[in-house]
Amino acid sequence: MKIATYQLHGERCVGVVSEDGKSVAPFALTKEEARVGALGIIQALAAGGAYPKVVDKDAVLVADVRLEAPIPVPRRNVWCVGRNYHAHAKELSATVFKDNSTKTDEWPIVFTKVPECVVGPFDEVELPTEVSDKIDYEAELAVIIGKQGKNISRGDAMNYVYGYTVVNDVTARDVQIRHQQWDMGKSFDTFCPMGPWLVTADELDGTKSRVRCWVNEELRQDGPVENMIFDIPALIETISRGITLYPGDIIATGTPAGVGMGMSPPVYIKSGDVIRVEIDGLGTIENKFR
């Protein structure tokens, strides 16, 4: 099932996207229930409820709505993982990771992005030129947690996955390095485009997908999820150690090689650039930077 959050006639709706991705039919939700997007659906299912009724007669073309992030109001910070593809770790080994003595095969780097930086799949992203001129892109597969758990074992981890979505982990590289802790450089307003919708785990095996990113139609990133250093079960196991994960929590799983900082010389995002991220089986997000 593909679940989209969208704006129609000034109101937020949550609905089921058709198999061809061309239309969306809303769930029968109140305005308050729709306020948190797909998060409310996930939480209700985790509590033992069922999917709301789908109002097929109110289906509309996806082209006639404004798609939002499937979870436009995350319940808390987005969990993120750094240096999680072998080639990406290598390309940045002399930059942001040069003082990091942790071996790539021991523990993942985990940080967060504030909920307020989440925007829709086709929204503009603001360049904070008064703070940074080294803005970079990071195309990523994001995992959506479907039920509450703590100290989740690797063997049981995939049973906690509700579904997947696409994320661009936009980063101010100079701010990231300056503060050592990464949250500030990752959390500027609009720095987490997400979408175009959420695909449930019964429809997509995210462990066998592929992540691609284009900058102004130039392919920059292209990597299979299988090339992760820490796979999805390992990430869920690690993040849930002593920390309760909740339905609707989002884990961005890291980016393949090909980021702007890894080029020689580095090439950062300019005003007017368009970044497109595509993940097999999930769809595409595309954002202009201003």
Side-chain angles (χ1 to χ4, degrees):
M1 183 184 298
K2 296 182 178 70
I3 299 177
T5 300
Y6 58 99
Q7 289 279 338
L8 181 64
H9 306 313
E11 293 189 4
R12 176 170 287 160
C13 305
V14 185
V16 177
V17 180
S18 61
E19 289 188 11
D20 61 9
K22 294 183 178 180
S23 64
V24 57
F27 289 112
L29 301 174
T30 66
K31 288 184 179 180
E32 180 58 27
E33 289 171 332
R35 183 184 64 82
V36 293
L39 175 60
I41 305 288
I42 298 167
Q43 291 175 324
L45 292 172
Y51 281 103
K53 179 182 177 182
V54 177
V55 187
D56 291 316
K57 68 180 181 63
D58 290 337
V60 293
L61 294 176
V62 169
D64 292 337
V65 306
R66 184 172 73 85
L67 289 172
E68 297 188 291
I71 301 180
V73 187
R75 61 174 295 156
R76 60 179 179 180
N77 284 23
V78 177
W79 296 99
C80 302
V81 181
R83 196 180 61 176
N84 199 30
Y85 284 74
H86 291 282
H88 176 58
K90 183 177 181 180
E91 75 177 345
L92 296 191
S93 60
T95 57
V96 69
F97 300 131
K98 63 183 179 182
D99 296 322
N100 190 314
S101 60
T102 303
K103 294 181 180 179
T104 59
D105 58 352
E106 289 183 350
W107 295 100
I109 296 171
V110 180
F111 59 93
T112 65
K113 297 169 80 81
V114 298
E116 292 79 6
C117 71
V118 172
V119 293
F122 304 105
D123 291 349
E124 285 195 349
V125 176
E126 302 169 9
L127 293 171
T129 53
E130 71 283 3
V131 181
S132 171
D133 61 358
K134 293 178 173 59
I135 309 302
D136 210 348
Y137 52 88
E138 293 192 3
E140 306 199 10
L141 170 73
V143 173
I144 312 297
I145 297 297
K147 61 180 181 178
Q148 183 172 322
K150 181 178 177 180
N151 297 322
I152 301 166
S153 70
R154 174 185 173 84
D156 198 29
M158 295 307 293
N159 293 324
Y160 286 79
V161 175
Y162 175 76
Y164 306 91
T165 192
V166 182
V167 160
N168 186 349
D169 174 22
V170 184
T171 306
R173 293 298 188 190
D174 45 355
V175 178
Q176 178 187 23
I177 296 170
R178 179 188 309 149
H179 293 283
Q180 299 184 55
Q181 297 289 337
W182 295 359
D183 292 34
M184 289 189 67
K186 299 280 191 171
S187 292
F188 287 100
D189 293 350
T190 73
F191 266 30
C192 191
M194 182 186 299
W197 34 65
L198 186 161
V199 179
T200 54
D202 60 351
E203 183 171 319
L204 173 69
D205 182 356
T207 66
K208 301 185 184 304
S209 195
R210 192 175 194 92
V211 180
R212 297 180 180 86
C213 177
W214 290 260
V215 179
N216 301 326
E217 300 302 328
E218 176 191 355
L219 180 64
R220 294 274 186 88
Q221 295 183 279
D222 186 359
V225 172
E226 290 95 330
N227 283 359
M228 285 182 180
I229 298 171
F230 302 96
D231 61 14
I232 292 170
L235 296 179
I236 293 173
E237 179 183 51
T238 299
I239 295 171
S240 70
R241 289 184 177 184
I243 298 174
T244 301
L245 294 181
Y246 294 99
D249 273 351
I250 303 164
I251 302 174
T253 57
T255 197
V259 298
M261 190 181 198
M263 301 176 73
S264 183
V267 178
Y268 294 109
I269 298 171
K270 307 181 302 299
S271 182
D273 284 350
V274 176
I275 314 295
R276 185 168 86 253
V277 180
E278 180 178 303
I279 298 181
D280 292 351
L282 268 172
T284 303
I285 66 174
E286 185 174 294
N287 306 91
K288 179 173 284 188
F289 285 68
R290 292 290 188 189

